[in-house]
Amino acid sequence: MCLAVPAKIISIEDGVAEVDLNGTTYKASLMLTPEAKAGDYVLLHTGYAIQVIDEKDALETLSIFKQMEML
């Protein structure tokens, strides 16, 4: 089973985003989501931002994960 998690884009340089996931930062390719911009939430999967998502949905999902102690 694969899982994609919401992460917030902090900055972008040359098609690679620095994203924040629960206080930890990661690099994520924006090859699949070139429309993403700093401040957006994206679904992060294996180093790729695979979809831009609504902030409300992202925060709700992160809250559920936290309740499940997944993050």
Side-chain angles (χ1 to χ4, degrees):
M1 179 168 91
C2 297
L3 179 67
V5 293
K8 186 174 185 176
I9 297 176
I10 299 167
S11 63
I12 299 172
E13 186 175 325
D14 297 326
V16 177
E18 180 178 5
V19 298
D20 176 79
L21 176 59
N22 201 31
T24 303
T25 59
Y26 298 94
K27 298 290 185 188
S29 171
L30 297 178
M31 183 172 58
L32 302 173
T33 53
E35 74 280 11
K37 57 190 181 309
D40 284 348
Y41 279 86
V42 292
L43 286 180
L44 183 62
H45 178 66
T46 65
Y48 290 87
I50 60 172
Q51 181 179 351
V52 177
I53 61 171
D54 179 77
E55 180 177 9
K56 179 180 173 268
D57 293 337
L59 296 175
E60 183 178 346
T61 301
L62 289 170
S63 175
I64 291 167
F65 285 166
K66 192 167 199 153
Q67 290 172 20
M68 295 171 56
E69 296 185 4
M70 292 181 73
L71 293 178

